[in-house]
Amino acid sequence: MFNRLYIHIPFCVEKCGYCAFVSARARPGEIESYHELLLQEMRLAAADHEQGAPLDSIYFGGGTPSLLHPLQVSRIIDLAAELFSLSPGVEITLEANPGTIDRERLRNFREAGVNRLSLGVQSFDDDMLRRLGRVHDAAQARHAFRDARLAGFGNIGIDLIHGLPGQTLSGWREELRQALSLSPEHISVYGLTVEEGTPFALRYPEESPEIPDDDRSAEMFETADTVLVEAGFEHYEIANYARAGYRSRHNSGYWRRDGYLGLGVAAHSFLREGYGFRFSNHDTLEEYSRELVSGRLPRRDEHLLTLEDAMAEFMFLGLRMVEGISCKSFEQEFGSRLNDIYGSTIDELIRIGLLQQERGNLRLTRRGLLLSNQVFARFLP
Ligand code: SF4
């Protein structure tokens, strides 16, 4: 069962130097044929899986979903409405690259039903944007934001990256200032990770002096927290800040383990069946289309969760949220007390200052937010 829908668009104008996502430049006609495959996958998946509650969110992620024609987005949303029931206030997010949109396209996306825009700005520094290999400059990002407002978007998020090559603390403060000057509803701040196999990994080998070290990255994380909270944003997940009422419902669902159906190349799904059922699609366009053309769902692998897996996920996904997890919810979901299962691990993490427990909730401390991967590793089955 699921109440969220994710659509993966694996195309980009150019590949950014730091990117390890499944995405590539589209060949002529490829986006249109991919769009048809998505519609077909949605029909097959709707016949194969029970929905559960009405869809509370639809999320177009990528890649660069704003490369889709607004009519293609409209057809996907319309088919979702036909095959699944939608909740009256369904949140429909489109990730957009500022180099791919103008006011007219934005207005058409809005008319297609998209009501939340996630703008991949990453930086307001032109030199940095060139180094990252982005296809837009800072002025285009600012224009895209203003055009989105004029096109009727009342819920816009901005993504920024810190820990960029050569970035200083004052440079990072300036990035935050520029983002706030646009008055977005949501800001995500991700730390750069240099992923193996990317051009960045060759250009910036481990411990490259150009990449801010752990202490400097921690300072940038702390700075973001101070600046954004002072500006009235709520820090609700490790990397995410929102104005009141504007948390991403779709992403919050991932951390609460809501069921979601993922469509498209390399998309992942999680259905609330038994302790949970996770599966993913083929990660090449060739295999993905071959399966669908043969009338089969393009599934690559499946994993039926055990009780132990489900409890671990509850911990390491739920702890991503700043409010943490409720001990009572754990007990309601699994019929066991949290301390009976993880008591010694929790005690140890509290003792070393990474977790804190208060009023029936367990959450990361400020230090724990910085070292979250160390905490999550302790709950892996
Ligand atoms: S636009 Fe996003 S998905 Fe595409 S290459 Fe750049 S970082 Fe990767």
Side-chain angles (χ1 to χ4, degrees):
M1 299 218 277
F2 58 94
N3 68 339
R4 308 198 179 275
L5 184 65
Y6 173 79
I7 318 273
H8 189 75
I9 308 300
F11 304 113
C12 289
V13 182
E14 293 288 345
K15 193 79 186 164
C16 303
Y18 60 95
C19 179
F21 292 125
V22 176
S23 69
R25 212 188 292 183
R27 291 188 286 263
E30 210 166 31
I31 295 182
E32 176 53 28
S33 48
Y34 182 73
H35 161 254
E36 292 297 335
L37 290 171
L38 280 174
L39 297 177
Q40 181 173 351
E41 187 189 0
M42 199 188 310
R43 286 190 201 96
L44 287 175
D48 208 48
H49 306 299
E50 198 185 331
Q51 183 186 351
L55 285 187
D56 183 57
S57 60
I58 300 176
Y59 193 102
F60 290 85
T64 305
S66 51
L67 283 175
L68 287 176
H69 191 283
L71 279 175
Q72 292 168 335
V73 170
S74 170
R75 281 186 70 200
I76 291 170
I77 296 172
D78 289 351
L79 185 64
E82 189 186 314
L83 296 173
F84 311 114
S85 60
L86 305 188
S87 79
V90 59
E91 174 190 274
I92 305 183
T93 303
L94 182 95
E95 289 181 353
N97 182 316
T100 61
I101 43 180
D102 56 30
R103 199 177 306 171
E104 180 68 10
R105 279 174 72 73
L106 285 161
R107 189 168 291 127
N108 291 335
F109 284 132
R110 185 74 193 85
E111 274 167 19
V114 177
N115 52 24
R116 181 172 184 272
L117 202 70
S118 176
L119 264 187
V121 173
Q122 318 311 0
S123 171
F124 288 96
D125 176 333
D126 284 341
D127 191 41
M128 202 66 88
L129 288 168
R130 265 190 302 276
R131 249 187 261 185
L132 290 172
R134 302 289 299 179
V135 294
H136 58 90
D137 61 19
Q140 274 174 299
R142 282 189 288 269
H143 276 129
F145 188 95
R146 290 184 188 120
D147 282 344
R149 278 283 189 250
L150 291 169
F153 281 96
N155 188 357
I156 310 177
I158 286 180
D159 286 1
L160 292 177
I161 306 180
H162 63 74
L164 296 173
Q167 191 173 45
T168 59
L169 200 52
S170 62
W172 174 235
R173 277 185 184 282
E174 177 58 17
E175 299 280 13
L176 294 165
R177 193 193 66 73
Q178 297 241 16
L180 288 172
S181 72
L182 294 171
S183 299
E185 281 68 36
H186 192 280
I187 299 183
S188 302
V189 289
Y190 300 105
L192 176 75
T193 39
V194 180
E195 304 276 359
E196 243 179 84
T198 61
F200 257 42
L202 290 177
R203 213 178 308 157
Y204 305 108
E206 225 174 303
E207 305 202 355
S208 157
E210 287 193 75
I211 302 285
D213 62 15
D214 288 353
D215 287 347
R216 183 48 59 93
S217 294
E219 273 182 282
M220 290 185 183
F221 179 90
E222 293 278 356
T223 301
D225 199 55
T226 308
V227 170
L228 297 178
V229 170
E230 265 174 19
F233 281 76
E234 175 194 21
H235 187 191
Y236 73 99
E237 193 268 349
I238 296 172
N240 286 287
Y241 295 80
R243 294 218 175 267
Y246 289 98
R247 292 181 179 197
S248 160
R249 271 162 39 201
H250 188 86
N251 290 336
S252 299
Y254 290 153
W255 305 315
R256 279 196 309 260
R257 299 183 72 240
D258 289 352
Y260 56 91
L261 180 67
L263 305 178
V265 171
H268 288 250
S269 301
F270 173 61
L271 305 184
R272 293 296 301 234
E273 292 168 12
Y275 292 120
F277 176 43
R278 292 196 179 271
F279 54 88
S280 59
N281 282 353
H282 285 291
D283 59 1
T284 65
L285 192 52
E286 292 68 31
E287 288 170 295
Y288 173 78
S289 33
R290 190 189 59 220
E291 293 298 299
L292 282 166
V293 167
S294 314
R296 291 187 296 268
L297 281 165
R299 211 170 273 178
R300 185 181 56 164
D301 49 36
E302 306 178 340
H303 177 53
L304 202 51
L305 273 66
T306 61
L307 171 62
E308 204 188 6
D309 294 331
M311 289 193 294
E313 282 194 353
F314 184 100
M315 299 304 290
F316 64 72
L317 292 174
L319 284 171
R320 295 193 66 85
M321 292 184 291
V322 173
E323 69 208 17
I325 54 162
S326 139
C327 304
K328 197 161 156 219
S329 306
F330 183 93
E331 196 169 331
Q332 278 165 351
E333 179 138 2
F334 301 112
S336 304
R337 289 180 55 234
L338 181 61
N339 278 327
D340 290 345
I341 307 294
Y342 294 117
S344 58
T345 304
I346 292 171
D347 287 348
E348 164 74 2
L349 291 167
I350 291 175
R351 196 180 59 72
I352 60 175
L354 298 181
L355 283 183
Q356 57 188 325
Q357 199 160 15
E358 57 185 19
R359 291 193 295 276
N361 262 39
L362 183 71
R363 58 193 178 93
L364 295 170
T365 58
R366 269 183 93 79
R367 195 162 157 261
L369 286 165
L370 283 168
L371 301 173
S372 56
N373 285 339
Q374 287 183 28
V375 175
F376 303 152
R378 300 292 302 273
F379 292 101
L380 292 177

